[in-house]
Amino acid sequence: MTIPTKMLILLPILLSFLAAIINILAWNHRRWQRIVTLVATTLNLLVALRIFMVVYGQGPQAVQASNWPAPFGITIVADLFSAIMVVITALMGLTVAIYALADITPQREALGYHPLYHTLLMGIYGSFLTGDIFNLYVWFEVMLISSFVLIGLGGDRGQLEGSFKYVTINLISSAIFLAAAGLTYGVTGTLNMADLRGALAQVPGGFATTLGMMFLLAFGIKAGLFPLYGWLPAAYHTPPAAISAIFAGMLTKVGVYALIRVFTLLFVQEVAYTHSLILMAAAGLTMVIGVFGAATRSEFRRILSFHIISQIGYMIMGLAIFSPLALAGAIFYIIHHIIVKTNLFLVSGVVNWMQGSYDLKKLGGLYKTNPGLGVLFLIPALSLAGIPPLSGFWAKFVLVRAGLEAGDYAIVAAALFVSVLTLYSMMKIWQFVFWQKAPEGVVERGHGEGENGRFFRLLPIIILATCTIIIGLYAGFFFDVAQQAANQLLDPTQYLNVVLQR
Amino acid sequence: MEILLAIIIGVLYAAAIYMMMSRSIVKLIIGLALLGHASNLLIFNMGPLVRGRPPLIHEGAEVPIPPFADPLPQALILTAIVIGLGAIAFAIVLVRSVYQQVGTDDIDELRTTER
């Protein structure tokens, strides 16, 4: 069956929307909800791979909503960077959905987990595929409202406190984003991103840069950039493992995607100031502060949350250096990071399932009872720290090399230093959870639920660990794709032509 | 008119930030609502404010005759108001359940997840 390209790039959004509606209709039928969730996420992965193949083979693709020509209508556009992000989202959507079969309790399912999961994915797909800055705001809100409910779903005290902070800071960020979008319209008279590129180039003085800084503030909060990251480690460790895994993998990366998009397509008027100074400093500080935070914590998911912040720094470092190689490194890093970080959160969920805690001091001895799980933890953990030949090594290697070529030695030194500390805190988790003897009173659980629970928990972890190894072994291909995506970002002629139909 | 609106927007932003500085959760929510209103008015002020000239195309003409009210900012605000309403409604419900669980409206008490 061949699907017309114009339909194809709308499908991830439409499929998620359809799945959400069916899930609402089947509110009291858990079995059906689960089947719909699995079918929809599987189909979306196939669609995403097809989108990737089309965009990889034929260049960027665009659809004008209701045939209103750009810049008057809303354009949905997929260039290679968007296509990569859609594929990764679909992969995470499927694996986390499988994990959630075992992890999300029937009580949470009855409160509407399934429909919200799909609206969350819909918001993420929409953010990656839209070509309009106000439409991006709308997709952000779709994603955020879903995530607000998901993070608080179930209503434990910790969850409520975490979600309260999460909601507050995100509403502030949205208000800033909204004001920035409004001002952009006031200054240029357009909201289409392709059209804005030309319009912003003609804006006098520092208007464009000022707007850029407002967007940096708005997206920086969502991405967890220094010094706006405080909400992240206060919130991400509170919901069930499946929910925090999809949050950890995807949500901050939507912020990073938006930053990369606006700071390659729109705000390139004063690169020496915006990129080389502001973004560079933010990247370096984010890396270092994040990893220090992780080194001092002793709760599994809090350590991982701080590492998210630290890793965001690497991605922004690629954007800040602003050379083709560095951007390719940043894109490669995002691919690697989403897979690895989601996987680590899933492993932490399994550990909690087996021994009933996330606190490192209350865990131990898992390598003796579950050597397989130990290996499954080590693969993403070592990849995160950047041990060859896993994916993280290549991601860091490319970024460091790009930094050296550009002569930004300070940020390279920070990156290498942070990498060592990352290894340290991964080894700390290994030491406490897997290697040393279990402390008194730890009861091995997790065999009562039968083999199904075990299967659904371990399958996604195995899939993601395999992806990490494959990316490491075939780094050449993945790097080539990232390089092409970076080239499209730095020279958006194709993107502009396809959106503006020139 | 634009200047008057600009002053109102500034006051709204200032009030929003003042309310958000408070330790009371309820005041924080009021601050967030005001922040949303300020942003909406800001967008409203972006199109030139024109009274009594709707953007209608007269018979036989191709485009409306300027000056006419810019419909786009109003469409944007409409979207933003709806989204803001939903978000604030959710935040109020959330605050209520936080209050029921924790038994206080003091933000400083909400620290258990940071230890």
Side-chain angles (χ1 to χ4, degrees):
Chain A
M1 189 176 72
T2 52
I3 310 165
T5 314
K6 289 196 181 304
M7 194 66 203
L8 187 69
I9 63 172
L10 289 173
L11 266 184
I13 302 171
L14 294 179
L15 270 175
S16 304
F17 189 47
L18 191 67
I21 290 175
I22 296 176
N23 270 325
I24 290 173
L25 293 177
W27 190 266
N28 287 321
H29 304 275
R30 264 178 62 207
R31 176 180 290 271
W32 281 106
Q33 286 189 323
R34 292 172 157 213
I35 292 172
V36 168
T37 298
L38 282 186
V39 170
T41 46
T42 312
L43 281 178
N44 252 342
L45 182 58
L46 297 176
V47 167
L49 287 171
R50 180 82 195 129
I51 293 177
F52 175 76
M53 275 155 62
V54 170
V55 173
Y56 187 60
Q58 303 166 19
Q61 305 289 328
V63 184
Q64 315 291 348
S66 308
N67 265 344
W68 282 89
F72 303 110
I74 291 168
T75 312
I76 301 290
V77 51
D79 68 349
L80 200 50
F81 185 33
S82 305
I84 292 171
M85 297 307 287
V86 168
V87 172
I88 293 285
T89 312
L91 181 64
M92 294 309 118
L94 176 60
T95 47
V96 174
I98 297 173
Y99 188 89
L101 292 180
D103 189 57
I104 300 293
T105 56
Q107 290 85 345
R108 287 200 166 86
E109 276 184 317
L111 289 170
Y113 159 78
H114 286 283
L116 285 165
Y117 185 66
H118 290 288
T119 46
L120 178 80
L121 288 178
M122 175 171 79
I124 299 174
Y125 288 128
S127 309
F128 290 150
L129 287 172
T130 186
D132 183 284
I133 202 95
F134 192 80
N135 197 230
L136 181 65
Y137 166 76
V138 175
W139 287 122
F140 260 81
E141 293 303 309
V142 171
M143 176 183 91
L144 284 176
I145 298 260
S146 319
S147 69
F148 289 169
V149 188
L150 277 177
I151 201 172
L153 203 66
D156 301 341
R157 175 169 177 164
Q159 262 186 297
L160 285 176
E161 288 185 18
S163 59
F164 176 69
K165 288 163 198 166
Y166 179 77
V167 169
T168 309
I169 193 75
N170 273 301
L171 286 180
I172 295 172
S173 154
S174 297
I176 299 170
F177 185 6
L178 187 60
L183 286 172
T184 308
Y185 178 76
V187 172
T188 59
T190 179
L191 286 165
N192 183 297
M193 288 202 256
D195 199 32
L196 270 175
R197 183 179 172 91
L200 279 171
Q202 290 161 10
V203 169
F207 262 129
T209 310
T210 313
L211 288 173
M213 290 300 108
M214 284 188 77
F215 281 109
L216 175 65
L217 196 60
F219 297 146
I221 291 176
K222 298 197 198 278
L225 213 57
F226 178 87
L228 311 164
Y229 62 83
W231 59 273
L232 195 154
Y236 269 21
H237 65 289
T238 56
I243 294 174
S244 65
I246 193 86
F247 279 28
M250 295 315 306
L251 295 195
T252 46
K253 259 57 70 183
V254 179
V256 173
Y257 167 86
L259 275 177
I260 292 184
R261 181 64 76 198
V262 298
F263 278 99
T264 53
L265 188 63
L266 305 183
F267 302 110
V268 287
Q269 291 80 14
E270 289 181 63
V271 173
Y273 176 67
T274 52
H275 292 62
S276 308
L277 188 69
I278 304 271
L279 282 173
M280 190 73 88
L285 288 168
T286 309
M287 266 185 226
V288 175
I289 305 281
V291 87
F292 278 151
T296 57
R297 295 301 189 282
S298 64
E299 205 260 23
F300 205 145
R301 286 195 289 178
R302 283 174 66 75
I303 296 179
L304 296 178
S305 300
F306 272 103
H307 276 297
I308 298 177
I309 300 166
S310 150
Q311 312 271 311
I312 297 289
Y314 282 96
M315 301 165 202
I316 302 304
M317 165 185 167
L319 176 62
I321 297 171
F322 205 55
S323 68
L325 186 66
L327 266 178
I331 294 169
F332 194 106
Y333 207 103
I334 295 176
I335 303 173
H336 140 76
H337 170 90
I338 292 177
I339 293 174
V340 163
K341 186 57 76 181
T342 306
N343 202 1
L344 283 172
F345 267 84
L346 294 182
V347 172
S348 80
V350 175
V351 169
N352 177 52
W353 173 61
M354 287 178 166
Q355 298 200 331
S357 177
Y358 287 105
D359 191 341
L360 294 189
K361 292 182 186 109
K362 293 179 187 158
L363 298 166
L366 269 180
Y367 187 67
K368 203 172 169 187
T369 50
N370 290 284
L373 185 67
V375 173
L376 285 175
F377 168 75
L378 272 188
I379 293 170
L382 292 180
S383 181
L384 192 76
I387 305 290
L390 297 162
S391 56
F393 168 72
W394 301 107
K396 282 183 181 156
F397 176 73
V398 173
L399 279 175
V400 164
R401 189 168 154 199
L404 290 178
E405 274 180 15
D408 295 313
Y409 300 114
I411 195 100
V412 170
L416 294 173
F417 173 66
V418 168
S419 179
V420 175
L421 281 184
T422 308
L423 186 62
Y424 159 74
S425 68
M426 286 302 121
M427 285 303 105
K428 185 167 91 178
I429 296 179
W430 168 257
Q431 169 79 17
F432 275 96
V433 178
F434 293 95
W435 200 243
Q436 74 178 19
K437 270 195 183 150
E440 293 289 314
V442 169
V443 190
E444 191 80 2
R445 294 195 312 173
H447 300 293
E449 273 184 68
E451 286 301 300
N452 271 353
R454 197 179 188 82
F455 174 76
F456 288 136
R457 280 186 167 89
L458 289 182
L459 179 67
I461 298 178
I462 294 170
I463 295 174
L464 293 178
T466 315
C467 290
T468 314
I469 295 174
I470 290 176
I471 294 176
L473 293 180
Y474 296 92
F477 169 73
F478 287 94
F479 179 70
D480 179 53
V481 172
Q483 184 69 68
Q484 284 190 37
N487 289 342
Q488 283 185 10
L489 286 175
L490 283 176
D491 176 21
T493 320
Q494 275 182 308
Y495 180 96
L496 300 183
N497 287 347
V498 74
V499 173
L500 300 173
Q501 294 164 312
R502 288 191 293 222
Chain B
M1 191 62 190
E2 271 97 348
I3 292 175
L4 186 64
L5 254 182
I7 293 169
I8 293 172
I9 294 165
V11 171
L12 273 176
Y13 270 121
I17 289 167
Y18 177 76
M19 293 301 260
M20 286 194 296
M21 298 286 179
S22 158
R23 275 167 59 180
S24 154
I25 301 183
V26 178
K27 285 189 182 164
L28 176 70
I29 297 293
I30 295 173
L32 285 174
L34 289 179
L35 196 67
H37 297 330
S39 298
N40 289 342
L41 272 182
L42 181 73
I43 299 179
F44 184 58
N45 213 8
M46 279 301 114
L49 297 181
V50 183
R51 285 184 71 183
R53 301 286 301 237
L56 298 176
I57 303 168
H58 292 279
E59 218 170 308
E62 292 274 300
V63 288
I65 312 151
F68 57 89
D70 188 347
L72 197 94
Q74 300 175 21
L76 300 186
I77 298 168
L78 213 59
T79 318
I81 287 175
V82 174
I83 293 173
L85 172 81
I88 291 292
F90 176 78
I92 292 171
V93 175
L94 181 70
V95 161
R96 185 165 173 272
S97 46
V98 168
Y99 181 73
Q100 282 178 339
Q101 279 266 339
V102 185
T104 173
D105 77 332
D106 187 344
I107 293 173
D108 284 356
E109 302 285 312
L110 304 179
R111 285 250 172 99
T112 53
T113 63
E114 281 173 30
R115 273 181 219 132

